[in-house]
Amino acid sequence: LAEAAIEHKALNEAERYAHRLPAAESVPIFLRLGRIDAARRVALQNKDKLPELLRMVSTAANAPTAS
C-alpha cells in the first residue's frame, strides 16, 4: 500500500503505512519519501539484525541532491 500511495502522490498516506511495515521494507520507503531521519531511526533500532539498513541510510544521506 505504501508503494501505491507514493505512485499516487499521497505521501502522507505512504508515510503512515511505512510506520507499520517491517524495517527491511520501511527504510527504503522512508528514503523514497525523503524522510532520512525516520529511516535512520528504524535502521538504528534494527542495527544488530539488519546492518545493511544503516549502510542504505548512510548512502542515501551522503548522496548529492538535485538542485
Side-chain angles (χ1 to χ4, degrees), residues 20-42:
R20 299 177 185 169
L21 294 172
E25 296 176 38
S26 67
V27 168
I29 297 288
F30 284 130
L31 293 175
R32 282 187 63 195
L33 293 171
R35 296 294 314 272
I36 293 175
D37 288 338
R40 183 179 292 119
R41 197 170 19 258
V42 173

Side-chain angles (χ1 to χ4, degrees), residues 5-58:
I6 290 171
E7 289 175 18
H8 289 92
K9 307 290 189 234
L11 304 182
N12 289 335
E13 200 71 17
E15 185 173 351
R16 265 191 31 221
Y17 289 123
H19 283 288
R20 299 177 185 169
L21 294 172
E25 296 176 38
S26 67
V27 168
I29 297 288
F30 284 130
L31 293 175
R32 282 187 63 195
L33 293 171
R35 296 294 314 272
I36 293 175
D37 288 338
R40 183 179 292 119
R41 197 170 19 258
V42 173
L44 283 171
Q45 290 171 348
N46 293 277
K47 67 181 178 184
D48 294 331
K49 293 182 284 185
L50 301 166
E52 66 275 8
L53 295 179
L54 277 176
R55 284 190 292 276
M56 185 185 300
V57 171
S58 178

